[in-house]
Structure formats: structure tokens, C-alpha cells
Amino acid sequence: MATASKPLLLSDMVSSGEMNQVPSKYIHPITERPNYQNVVPDSIPVIDLQNLNGPNRSQVLDEIRRACSDNGFFQVKNHGIPESIIANMMQMAREFFNLPLQERLKMYSDDPTKANRLSTSYNVRTEKISHWRDYLGLHCYPLQDYIHQWPTNPESFRDIAAEYCRSVRALALQLVEAISESLGLDKDYISAQLGSHAQIMALNYYPPCPQPDLTYGLPGHTDGYVLTLLLQDEVSGLQLLKDGQWVAVDPVPNAFVINIGDQIQVISNDKYKSAMHRAVVNSEKERISIPTFYCPSPDAVIGPAPQLVTDDEPAVYRQFTFEEYNRTIWKDGLSKCLDAFHAT
Ligand code: OGA
Ligand code: NI
């Protein structure tokens, strides 16, 4: 367990004193700061999954194909996860971040190889600029390998988070099938490429920030995994880069924001894009988001699907193991890792 001699967590720095200025290590160079004047209002599609498993499946697949080829971002409603499971998870996350410091610090670690840990920013060991975020990272699949390392405070944390993870995994599997089919591949193709599969979750906590135009909750990045299913509370902050402009992705109650990760960009041979996105902060309200990252297992070998490689569209990427990719994800700050995996 860590000691509390200097604040390890952003939330404790923020709540322990009169913080009316962002400390210098959080300040981005002037050309890389969020420019709120240039952010475009929300325009990403909300796809109704009600008909995904019915006679109108092909229409839903068309919508998914369009969203994935366009910018790889969409929201889903009528996804089958009960509202109570969503509400309980969000409530549990809020309660966790409201626990006394000493209690939360039991989960603290700055070691990115540790599967279940509370930390701050992104990778505090290597990054040059810090981000306005604390987060609890949890591995969720196979559940029995990890659940004993999860918090036990709040008391029902494990039960509620486990139920949430199981539900989100079922939705992720349906979306992975639909995405596979929408690419013209067998519906099981992508799933079969993911080895024994893995699932990670982050509970992101963004405290109010006195100068939100100087820093980020998370600066622009792509998600390095297969698929992200993000639950956000009612406070806006997520933005995606579309045609060179930042677009707000505003919260829709009980919906999930879905985005394509780097691994699908590779398997699809660039037909689908893993879009740049970021989280901005605000001076008024704390914000909580809970992304689930659906992942290959470390031994999975990822590469463009042979069916999507032609003379006209040669393989854009080489094959790699997910273990190799995952090492680059955590190497330094947040970045776009895909460039390192181009075919030669
Ligand atoms: C992430 C992420 C966005 C958000 O955790 O990878 O992009 O709105 N989060 O918290
Ligand atoms: Ni992300």
C-alpha cells in the first residue's frame, strides 16, 4: 500500500486545497490545447439494436457499416442491458471515488503491467505531461482470474461490477459478430482471431478543473483494442476527430458509445477506422466515464483478413501478436501505435 506523503491522486490534490490554477505539469503547449471554439456539435449516429437479431438485421448491419466506414464511432440504444445494471455500475463508480483516500490507496499502483489498480493520468512513470484524470483499471475476463483483486469497498463492488462486465461482454460479442458480418466476413471470423479473448474496464474520474482550456482529461488518442463500449454520465466531455474537426459526443441516457479500436482497423485492412478521440474537462462538474475495452488475448495473432486483401488493396499492416501490440500501448504517453505495424 502506498503512503500519502505527497498526493498520488489528482482528486486528492484538487480536494485538499484551494486550487485555482492548473499545476504546470498538466499544461499542454499552446498549439496543442483544446480549442473550444472549433468544436462541432454532436452528429454521430445513434443505432437502435432492437432489430439486430430479427428479420431486419441487414438494415442494422448497413447502419453499422456506414458508421464504421465513416469514422468508427456510434452510440447504441435498445442494446438489451437493463437500465438497473447500468445505473448500479455508475453509482458504484461514484461511491468508489468518494471513498476516503486511505481506502482508495489500497488499490494504488503506478505499474502499468499490474492488471487491477488505481492510478492517475495515463502512465505516470514515462509521460511528460499529466492528464486531468484518476482511474481504476480492472481486468474482467476470465472473471475468476481477476475478481479476487478487485476492490471490496464499497461492499457490493464485486457483485455489481461482475454483473455489469458479463452484460457488456454479451453486447460486445454481438457487436463483434455484426461488425464481422458488415465487412462481408463470416460472422465468427473476428471472434475467432481473438484467441481466448480478454476484457478490460476503466473507471475514469475527471475532477472539475480550474483552467480547462490548458489541459485534457485524456488528450487525443485511438483505443488500441478491438472495440470500446463506453458508458458516460450526464456530463459532456468526449470528442472525436472527424474530417479534421473535433466533434462532441454528448451523453444519451442509457446508451453506450461504441468505437472501433486499432485491432479492427487492422483486421479490416483500413476499411474501418479507429478514430482519434479525447476527453476534455470543465470547471463546474466532475465527470465519470466507464469504458470497456474488448480485447484479443495476448497470444492472438492479428493481421488483415485475407479476404479483404486484394491486388488493388494490398495488406496495410503486418501480422503481430496482441502481446507485442499491447507493449507499445503502454510504452510512453497516449499515442497512435498503429503506425509501427505497417506492412513493409
Ligand atoms: C478512454 C477514453 C473517453 C472518456 O478511456 O480511452 O477515450 O470520455 N475515454 O472518458
Ligand atoms: Ni479512448
Side-chain angles (χ1 to χ4, degrees):
M1 187 179 126
T3 57
S5 49
K6 73 175 168 54
L8 294 169
L9 296 168
L10 170 66
S11 47
D12 296 297
M13 213 160 68
V14 171
S15 61
S16 67
E18 299 287 295
M19 191 190 277
N20 44 28
Q21 278 194 333
V22 166
S24 59
K25 70 173 180 166
Y26 290 88
I27 300 179
H28 285 252
I30 197 150
T31 53
E32 292 166 22
R33 294 179 193 166
N35 183 344
Y36 294 103
Q37 272 83 43
N38 285 346
V39 175
V40 185
D42 195 343
S43 61
I44 77 157
V46 180
I47 300 182
D48 187 339
L49 294 186
Q50 179 118 30
N51 295 322
L52 185 61
N53 298 311
N56 293 331
R57 181 172 174 86
S58 65
Q59 279 168 25
V60 184
L61 295 183
D62 284 346
E63 287 182 62
I64 291 177
R65 183 182 308 108
R66 216 171 303 131
C68 292
S69 334
D70 192 12
N71 53 56
F73 255 83
F74 54 100
Q75 306 217 39
V76 294
K77 63 176 186 180
N78 291 323
H79 42 64
I81 301 182
E83 286 179 17
S84 58
I85 290 182
I86 291 177
N88 288 345
M89 185 65 229
M90 193 47 90
Q91 173 68 17
M92 195 51 56
R94 213 171 284 283
E95 280 177 28
F96 177 82
F97 287 108
N98 278 326
L99 288 172
L101 173 64
Q102 285 310 321
E103 197 50 41
R104 274 175 295 143
L105 284 181
K106 290 177 183 167
M107 291 295 298
Y108 183 84
S109 167
D110 64 5
D111 177 1
T113 64
K114 206 161 172 272
N116 300 286
R117 66 186 180 115
L118 176 67
S119 196
T120 191
S121 188
Y122 181 68
N123 183 355
V124 288
R125 287 187 174 178
T126 54
E127 68 203 5
K128 302 202 169 48
I129 302 176
S130 298
H131 314 311
W132 204 262
R133 169 182 85 140
D134 289 337
Y135 67 101
L136 177 65
L138 300 175
H139 280 231
C140 326
Y141 184 81
L143 200 52
Q144 69 272 15
D145 291 357
Y146 301 109
I147 194 167
H148 62 280
Q149 298 169 23
W150 288 8
T152 47
N153 192 0
E155 208 181 323
S156 50
F157 187 97
R158 290 183 182 177
D159 286 345
I160 285 178
E163 188 178 35
Y164 179 81
C165 289
R166 278 191 286 264
S167 306
V168 174
R169 176 172 144 84
L171 175 58
L173 290 174
Q174 288 194 55
L175 288 169
V176 167
E177 280 188 356
I179 288 167
S180 202
E181 222 177 316
S182 74
L183 281 165
L185 302 169
D186 189 88
K187 76 173 169 41
D188 298 323
Y189 179 83
I190 294 180
S191 180
Q193 303 306 302
L194 309 181
S196 53
H197 294 207
Q199 182 180 342
I200 305 174
M201 171 161 75
L203 278 54
N204 289 326
Y205 180 79
Y206 304 104
C209 175
Q211 294 169 297
D213 42 354
L214 301 184
T215 190
Y216 291 102
L218 281 173
H221 66 281
T222 65
D223 290 345
Y225 308 102
V226 172
L227 198 63
T228 303
L229 302 91
L230 178 120
L231 183 66
Q232 50 178 344
D233 70 5
E234 64 291 342
V235 181
S236 294
L238 176 61
Q239 299 176 346
L240 90 105
L241 189 62
K242 184 181 174 187
D243 305 327
Q245 284 214 297
W246 289 99
V247 180
V249 184
D250 290 328
V252 173
N254 294 307
F256 284 86
V257 180
I258 310 294
N259 66 283
I260 296 295
D262 294 351
Q263 307 309 310
I264 287 191
Q265 179 164 334
V266 171
I267 292 170
S268 77
N269 203 27
D270 264 359
K271 292 199 166 36
Y272 289 177
K273 290 285 157 36
S274 168
M276 270 291 202
H277 56 281
R278 65 187 190 183
V280 297
V281 289
N282 73 83
S283 57
E284 305 283 311
K285 291 182 178 158
E286 64 181 28
R287 175 169 180 263
I288 290 179
S289 74
I290 307 178
T292 292
F293 304 107
Y294 207 74
C295 306
S297 52
D299 58 327
V301 177
I302 305 293
Q307 258 183 275
L308 303 177
V309 175
T310 61
D311 289 345
D312 291 339
E313 291 172 301
V316 181
Y317 304 97
R318 64 173 175 87
Q319 282 196 333
F320 50 84
T321 62
F322 184 63
E323 186 179 24
E324 191 186 345
Y325 200 86
N326 202 32
R327 268 199 308 270
T328 72
I329 293 177
W330 284 102
K331 228 171 48 205
D332 29 49
L334 276 169
S335 58
K336 187 157 173 87
C337 307
L338 264 176
D339 295 345
F341 294 85
H342 275 131
T344 45

